[in-house]
Amino acid sequence: MSAFDAALARQSWSKVTDEAPTHEELLPLVAAAGRVADHSSLRPWRLIELRGDDRLRLAKAIAKADGSSEPSSKPLRAPLLIAVVASFRKSRKVPRWEQEAVVSGVAHTLSLLLDEAGWGVFWRTGGYTRTKAVAKAHGLKKREELLGWLYVGGKPAGKKPSRRKAVDAEALLTRMPPEE
């Protein structure tokens, strides 16, 4: 499958099976995703695998962040969660927003690669990604922020992802206005 075909076929799989890629299967995908454009090669990102009881710890941290007494069920909706972490670097040339764009690029590219490898993926975010309880559960450091999680699992047999509206490229690709 070409990069063009992978981009056109990309869909979110909100329901996945209990199968997930192994750590060893993830490594080459992460290495490839890390090749995104990265001004000054800062690598301002890291990924955290959450499996098994890690997901239960996250469920409790989300509950704490929400002020709920019951653990959240959200982290249990996939067998593997990959936390997407911005690890901001000090740089005079590369502003914080550009570093966050690199992290987003890594996450999106990884989602395409996982999909191409046959896995169902969706990216979950939420207000609790920036809470102290959730940051602590992930062991985030001082200059780190959680952008969200890639939920990864098997694609259910006979199920198709929800349909997405076609992109109106003509409306979204414009030119600079003429000089006045």
Side-chain angles (χ1 to χ4, degrees), residues 49-140:
E49 289 179 70
L50 290 87
R51 300 175 188 269
D53 288 346
D54 299 336
R55 299 172 307 137
L56 296 173
R57 286 180 44 219
L58 175 58
K60 291 175 185 173
I62 290 172
K64 184 174 183 179
D66 282 343
S68 175
S69 60
E70 293 295 318
S72 172
S73 64
K74 290 177 183 177
L76 306 178
R77 293 180 184 168
L80 169 63
L81 278 61
I82 302 172
V84 179
V85 178
S87 295
F88 297 107
R89 311 288 188 229
K90 290 183 180 179
S91 174
R92 292 182 197 188
K93 294 189 329 184
V94 187
R96 187 179 175 97
W97 71 262
E98 190 174 343
Q99 293 183 45
E100 192 166 337
V102 170
V103 182
S104 296
V106 168
H108 181 66
T109 302
L110 182 56
S111 74
L112 288 174
L113 294 168
L114 284 161
D115 183 75
E116 182 183 36
W119 301 105
V121 182
F122 66 100
W123 189 346
R124 180 175 297 281
T125 61
Y128 45 79
T129 60
R130 305 289 168 101
T131 63
K132 286 182 183 180
V134 172
K136 183 177 179 182
H138 286 82
L140 299 187

